[in-house]
């Protein structure tokens, strides 16, 4: 997530003018990077080179006391403070946890983040930005990032990056991730406030907009998260105007307040998935279709259209709208050929087909048309399943391996809970994979998620809920 920032260059001396009677300049003018973005072109971290992999160069953007960007795989954000003497301080960095191939991308990510966490000074020389650490262990070299064309209001899930009140900017709480999804054609607006899902009617007239009564769920979170959510929804309710600059959205009120957003993809596929589930639960198949990947729509169109699957989807996925103790998160990865996919994982106690049970489900999403769309009919005949051993519910790897029954020729990424890819060893067989983890999870309830891709490009995902004991 991105916000804006002014970097002030340190003062340096100047020689007197030729006449000798002109006062020396006070110092160089302040250098502003407000709203600018950069891409990594080189550097070092602990004497190891930072060389971008193909087209996956890490990026950096600075706006209003917040630094953010991409590692070439994951996105990051954190508060940034800059002093007038050319020094800077980057606070705790929040990083998404997607897995990527080839391994060189992840190696670069680790070095880049390690260097970024140590840099404490900057220098701007023309179109080159250099960040360095005082002990010489880290140096990052950037050049300006080519701006992207302006997006449209409905082109993406928007991620809230900050609040502005009378030109004073503040960033969102780390790890909360408030979102906004706008559908001008349907006249609706929705998203997540950092704790609760919300929705409202919307009217857009040129650069003006108005939001109706905001309705939200009633979950309780930490006090500071609830206060931020209340401020977010109150400002949204008072919204009067909007503007987009590249991938940035600003929503303003007539009282001088504003909300800043950046277009998101991998950061929040869960917002699309939960909106799709809510549409199914309400029987709104038209809205559900707008949130589905084209490959899934092609699948249902060839079999009678989405209406033919309406009852099945409503009773199946739609039932998750009323699940007790529902939790939703996402994990995702990039495969060896560069393709990406993200799995939205749901856990809870759900009633389906007359049965109530606690379980986990995985819903695949894919990037398409500048946003994440759900892909519930991904390779339905080819998805492998996680098969626990008989004693898996009481004990898990490393002492007890587990197996994935899957056709030959699948690349598999494994995740434990909402974490980064699970480390371990995979042994391939003719019709299954046996995985032995290198570390056991803590005692308690866990979710194992598998993301698959076949040699033919077919995608699949499965999740299983299990419990470990001490």
């Amino acid at each position: 997530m991105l916000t804006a920032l002014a970097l002030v260059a340190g003062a340096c001396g100047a020689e007197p003018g030729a006449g000798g009677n002109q006062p020396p300049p006070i110092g160089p003018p302040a250098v502003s990077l407000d709203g600018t973005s950069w891409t990594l072109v080189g550097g070092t971290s602990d004497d190891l080179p930072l060389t971008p992999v193909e087209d996956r160069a890490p990026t950096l953007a600075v706006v209003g006391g917040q630094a953010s960007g991409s590692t070439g795989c994951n996105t990051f954000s954190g508060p940034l403070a800059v002093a007038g003497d050319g020094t800077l301080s980057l606070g705790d960095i929040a990083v998404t946890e997607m897995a990527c191939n080839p391994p060189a991308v992840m190696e670069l990510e680790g070095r880049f983040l390690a260097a970024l966490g140590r840099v404490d000074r900057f220098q701007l020389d023309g179109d080159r930005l250099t960040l360095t650490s005082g002990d010489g262990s880290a140096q990052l070299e950037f050049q300006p990032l080519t701006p992207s064309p302006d997006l449209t209001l409905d082109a993406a899930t928007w991620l809230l990056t900050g609040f502005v009140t009378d030109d004073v900017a503040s960033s969102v709480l780390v790890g909360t991730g408030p979102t906004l999804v706008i559908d001008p054609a349907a006249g609706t607006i929705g998203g997540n406030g950092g704790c609760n899902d919300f929705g409202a009617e919307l009217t857009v007239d040129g650069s003006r907009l108005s939001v109706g009564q905001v309705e939200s769920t009633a979950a309780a979170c930490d006090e500071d998260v609830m206060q931020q959510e209340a401020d977010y929804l109150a400002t949204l309710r008072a919204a009067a105007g909007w503007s987009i600059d590249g991938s940035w959205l600003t929503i303003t009120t007539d009282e001088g307040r504003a909300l800043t957003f950046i277009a998101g993809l991998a950061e929040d596929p869960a917002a699309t998935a939960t909106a799709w589930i809510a549409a199914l639960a309400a029987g709104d198949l038209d809205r559900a279709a707008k949130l589905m990947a084209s490959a899934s729509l092609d699948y249902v169109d060839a079999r009678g259209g989405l209406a033919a699957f309406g009852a099945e989807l409503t009773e199946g996925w739609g039932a998750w709208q009323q699940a007790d103790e529902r939790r939703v998160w996402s994990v995702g990865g990039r495969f060896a050929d560069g393709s990406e996919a993200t799995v939205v994982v749901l856990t809870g106690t759900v009633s389906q087909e007359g049965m109530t049970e606690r379980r986990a489900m995985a819903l695949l999403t894919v990037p398409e048309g500048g946003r994440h769309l759900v892909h519930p009919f991904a390779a339905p005949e080819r998805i492998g399943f996680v098969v626990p051993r008989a004693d898996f519910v009481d004990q898990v790897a490393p002492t007890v391996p587990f197996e994935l029954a899957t056709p030959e020729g699948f690349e598999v990424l494994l995740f434990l809970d909402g974490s980064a890819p699970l480390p371990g060893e995979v042994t391939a067989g003719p019709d299954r994979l046996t995985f032995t983890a290198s570390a056991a999870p803590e005692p308690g309830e866990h979710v194992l998620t598998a993301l698959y891709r076949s040699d033919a490009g077919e995608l699949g995902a499965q999740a299983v809920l299990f419990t470990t004991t001490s």
Side-chain angles (χ1 to χ4, degrees):
M1 292 177 282
L2 317 172
T3 351
L5 164 71
L7 301 183
V8 182
C12 59
E15 294 183 3
N21 57 1
Q22 297 180 6
I26 296 175
V31 178
S32 175
L33 299 180
D34 190 8
T36 63
S37 301
W38 305 85
T39 185
L40 186 76
V41 293
T44 58
S45 178
D46 292 323
D47 296 325
L48 296 174
L50 293 171
T51 305
V53 179
E54 299 174 352
D55 59 346
R56 302 179 194 173
T59 61
L60 172 69
V62 286
V63 187
Q66 188 86 353
S68 63
S70 167
T71 66
C73 175
N74 286 284
T75 58
F76 67 89
S77 64
L80 181 65
V82 178
D85 60 358
T87 60
L88 56 83
S89 175
L90 182 61
D92 292 339
I93 302 174
V95 187
T96 58
E97 295 182 324
M98 188 170 69
C100 295
N101 283 325
V105 174
M106 302 305 292
E107 292 175 7
L108 175 62
E109 175 180 272
R111 295 177 189 175
F112 173 71
L113 290 175
L116 193 64
R118 294 197 300 270
V119 295
D120 54 12
R121 60 198 64 196
F122 72 92
Q123 181 178 358
L124 185 63
D125 184 9
D127 62 353
R128 181 67 63 109
L129 173 67
T130 303
L131 306 182
T132 56
S133 63
D135 62 5
S137 65
Q139 178 172 312
L140 300 172
E141 297 283 347
F142 296 91
Q143 67 182 20
L145 180 67
T146 303
S148 59
D150 289 353
L151 296 176
T152 59
L153 277 173
D154 59 351
T157 293
W158 297 97
L159 309 177
L160 182 68
T161 61
F163 300 81
V164 179
T165 302
D166 296 328
D167 296 327
V168 177
S170 60
S171 301
V172 299
L173 298 172
V174 174
T176 53
T179 61
L180 185 66
V181 178
I182 304 172
D183 190 339
T188 60
I189 197 169
N192 184 274
C195 180
N196 288 282
D197 295 334
F198 68 87
E201 294 184 350
L202 170 75
T203 301
V204 178
D205 182 10
S207 62
R208 302 286 291 178
L209 61 78
S210 61
V211 177
Q213 181 64 38
V214 178
E215 303 290 342
S216 67
T217 55
C221 295
D222 292 344
E223 183 178 351
D224 55 349
V225 176
M226 298 303 293
Q227 183 60 56
Q228 174 181 270
E229 180 173 270
D231 293 342
Y232 175 32
L233 297 184
T235 306
L236 199 60
R237 178 64 184 87
W242 66 276
S243 63
I244 293 179
D245 182 7
S247 58
W248 288 91
L249 167 67
T250 302
I251 291 180
T252 57
T253 72
D254 288 336
E255 294 78 34
R257 290 176 289 160
L259 301 169
T260 58
F261 302 83
I262 188 170
L265 283 175
E267 292 84 348
D268 193 52
T272 298
T274 54
W276 181 70
I277 289 170
L280 291 175
D284 189 349
L285 297 184
D286 289 338
R287 175 61 177 163
K290 293 179 180 179
L291 298 171
M292 290 174 62
S294 58
S296 277
L297 291 176
D298 290 345
Y299 177 85
V300 298
D301 286 346
R303 292 161 177 80
L306 190 59
F309 293 82
E312 173 187 337
L313 291 172
T314 299
E315 294 174 3
W317 284 108
W320 282 92
Q321 181 70 4
Q322 303 300 325
D324 292 333
E325 298 180 344
R326 190 184 80 172
R327 294 180 57 225
V328 184
W329 68 87
S330 60
V331 292
R334 178 178 284 130
F335 296 100
D337 67 347
S339 62
E340 296 182 9
T342 305
V343 184
V344 176
V345 184
L346 300 98
T347 65
T349 302
V350 63
S351 297
Q352 294 174 318
E353 300 179 353
M355 298 179 59
T356 300
E357 64 176 337
R358 184 157 183 80
R359 59 186 303 196
M361 289 290 288
L363 177 59
L364 193 71
T365 70
V366 293
E368 186 176 306
R371 61 194 306 190
H372 270 282
L373 297 175
V374 298
H375 193 9
F377 295 100
E381 270 76 41
R382 298 292 303 278
I383 295 177
F385 287 84
V386 177
V387 181
R389 294 167 59 112
D391 50 359
F392 188 79
V393 293
D394 295 319
Q395 192 174 16
V396 73
T399 56
V400 178
F402 55 87
E403 296 178 331
L404 311 176
T406 178
E408 187 176 1
F410 269 73
E411 183 181 357
V412 182
L413 296 172
L414 295 168
F415 305 86
L416 185 65
D417 302 325
S419 71
L422 186 63
E425 181 180 354
V426 177
T427 304
D431 60 355
R432 64 186 57 240
L433 300 173
T434 300
F435 180 84
T436 304
S438 58
E442 295 294 326
E445 183 179 271
H446 297 283
V447 177
L448 180 71
T449 305
L451 174 59
Y452 304 79
R453 187 183 188 280
S454 72
D455 291 342
E458 297 171 310
L459 291 168
Q462 291 292 330
V464 63
L465 187 72
F466 65 94
T467 302
T468 61
T469 58
S470 56

